[in-house]
């Protein structure tokens, strides 16, 4: 829960950067007003999307609800760029997931090899393990 | 600067890979809305992106409509005007009220009181 009213506002620096990319120089008052407008937009969009979710008897807001909310609010111009952005985002997420899984696998391999080097008592067993692993690799 | 150039720049900005607005802040605002329990990750992303598009759209529309074109500036009154005149921005009229001079406001108050007395 937000503790102060300012917490519900989006950071000024970020707002300024977005507007600057549109190449206008906003006066301070305008910047603050746009920041508040953005917060109101989020609230409005959320409540609109929530209506769609409730109609479908769902408790979780999903991407479809947000898209329907945009249409409802007459921001159809956003639909296409939003769809494209969502696709790119999903691809990025998938890539990240695969990368982190690969990292985890690499870590497991590494940790098993360092164990072998540390314990000399288990050397024989490890040799057996190595043989087994090699066998598996050959099988692949 | 011509309007067309500006639109191209805005489009480029929108297509950039990094979203600038903090997702955690957007989630905080969304959760402050009553009746909202859970928010899907994709929905959160879309809302953040949509807000970015909205900020650009609002800034661009206000700028086009406004008086700051020569100086390349955006003023509060440009925003207030666009909120009143454009249907899609009507929901902003409460938080972007038009400014009036204090004396005009007091004058209209007096007139309202007179009307009440007449009744």
């Amino acid at each position: 829960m937000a503790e102060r009213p300012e917490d519900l506002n989006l950071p000024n620096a970020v707002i300024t950067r977005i507007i600057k990319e549109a190449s206008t120089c906003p006066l301070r008052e305008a910047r603050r007003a746009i920041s508040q407008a953005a917060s109101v937009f989020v609230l409005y969009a959320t409540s609109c999307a929530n209506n769609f979710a409730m109609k479908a008897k769902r408790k979780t807001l999903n991407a479809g609800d947000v898209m329907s909310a945009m249409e409802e609010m007459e921001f159809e111009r956003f639909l296409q760029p939003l769809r494209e952005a969502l696709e790119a985002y999903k691809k990025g997420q998938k890539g990240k997931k695969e990368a982190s899984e690969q990292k985890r696998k690499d870590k497991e391999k590494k940790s098993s090899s360092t164990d072998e080097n540390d314990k000399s008592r288990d050397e024989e067993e490890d040799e057996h393990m190595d043989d087994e692993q090699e066998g598996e690799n050959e099988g692949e | 600067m011509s309007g067309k150039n500006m639109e191209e720049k805005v489009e480029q900005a929108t297509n950039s890979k990094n979203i600038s607005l903090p997702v955690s802040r957007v989630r905080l605002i969304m959760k402050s809305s009553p009746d909202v329990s859970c928010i899907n990750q994709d929905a959160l992303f879309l809302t953040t992106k949509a807000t970015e598009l909205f900020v650009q759209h609002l800034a661009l529309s206000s700028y086009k409509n406004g008086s700051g074109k020569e100086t390349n500036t955006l003023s509060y009154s440009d925003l207030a005007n666009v909120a009143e005149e454009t249907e899609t921005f009507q929901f902003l009229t409460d938080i972007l009220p038009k400014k009036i001079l204090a004396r005009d406001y007091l004058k209209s108050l007096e007139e309202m009181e007179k009307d009440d007395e007449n009744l």
Side-chain angles (χ1 to χ4, degrees):
Chain A
M1 269 297 168
E3 289 169 13
R4 300 166 297 166
E6 304 92 79
D7 285 343
L8 291 179
N9 272 338
L10 297 156
N12 270 335
V14 175
I15 297 278
T16 307
R17 211 185 326 144
I18 300 177
I19 304 171
K20 275 200 169 157
E21 283 176 348
S23 247
T24 63
C25 176
L27 300 175
R28 202 190 320 153
E29 232 184 342
R31 230 185 300 153
R32 192 169 52 91
I34 292 186
S35 169
Q36 288 175 325
S39 302
V40 170
F41 173 82
V42 173
L43 278 174
Y44 183 19
T46 306
S47 113
C48 226
N50 200 37
N51 287 338
F52 285 105
M54 291 203 293
K55 264 191 215 170
K57 296 189 181 166
R58 264 182 289 109
K59 284 196 170 173
T60 309
L61 277 187
N62 65 22
D65 298 329
V66 177
M67 298 298 257
S68 311
M70 290 299 120
E71 272 198 72
E72 177 89 11
M73 292 161 70
E74 295 178 26
F75 287 118
E76 290 101 349
R77 63 198 301 139
F78 293 170
L79 292 177
Q80 190 51 29
L82 282 178
R83 274 188 213 119
E84 290 169 8
L86 186 62
E87 282 232 22
Y89 171 74
K90 279 184 170 171
K91 276 188 190 164
Q93 291 295 92
K94 199 181 173 190
K96 271 187 198 173
K97 211 179 172 184
E98 284 170 5
S100 64
E101 272 191 44
Q102 187 61 43
K103 265 187 184 174
R104 199 170 39 88
K105 284 181 185 171
D106 289 343
K107 251 185 180 177
E108 281 172 8
K109 271 188 186 173
K110 269 187 186 173
S111 61
S112 62
S113 64
T114 47
D115 281 346
E116 288 163 22
N117 290 334
D118 286 344
K119 296 171 186 178
S120 54
R121 221 195 300 168
D122 297 324
E123 234 176 294
E124 279 180 49
E125 281 182 51
D126 292 337
E127 277 177 9
H128 287 310
M129 269 176 64
D130 278 348
D131 288 338
E132 278 178 31
Q133 280 185 1
E134 280 179 36
E136 279 178 10
N137 287 339
E138 283 174 21
E140 288 173 8
Chain B
M1 186 171 286
S2 71
K4 204 181 176 189
N5 278 346
M6 183 100 74
E7 285 181 31
E8 280 173 9
K9 282 197 176 179
V10 171
E11 228 182 276
Q12 277 172 19
T14 323
N15 292 336
S16 64
K17 284 183 185 174
N18 304 316
I19 328 172
S20 318
L21 291 171
V23 171
S24 52
R25 198 66 78 92
V26 175
R27 189 197 289 128
L28 193 65
I29 303 173
M30 288 175 90
K31 287 228 148 176
S32 73
S33 180
D35 301 329
V36 169
S37 34
C38 303
I39 306 165
N40 181 336
Q41 198 71 359
D42 289 348
L44 185 57
F45 168 80
L46 275 185
T47 308
T48 312
K49 187 72 189 167
T51 310
E52 201 182 295
L53 294 175
F54 169 77
V55 168
Q56 286 173 335
H57 180 45
L58 178 61
L60 208 58
S61 306
S62 308
Y63 179 79
K64 277 186 187 169
N65 217 14
S67 49
K69 281 185 207 162
E70 282 162 41
T71 47
N72 217 26
T73 54
L74 185 66
S75 70
Y76 175 85
S77 45
D78 295 335
L79 294 169
N81 283 331
V82 98
E84 197 172 298
E85 290 162 20
T86 315
E87 216 180 295
T88 40
F89 294 129
Q90 293 262 301
F91 69 97
L92 295 172
T93 44
D94 281 343
I95 60 148
L96 295 177
K98 279 196 171 176
K99 287 183 178 179
I100 58 173
L101 292 171
R103 63 166 177 261
D104 291 341
Y105 176 67
L106 292 170
K107 209 175 169 185
S108 63
L109 264 186
E110 279 176 27
E111 284 172 9
M112 269 169 44
E113 282 169 8
K114 276 187 190 165
D115 288 342
D116 286 344
E117 279 173 14
N118 287 340
L119 289 172

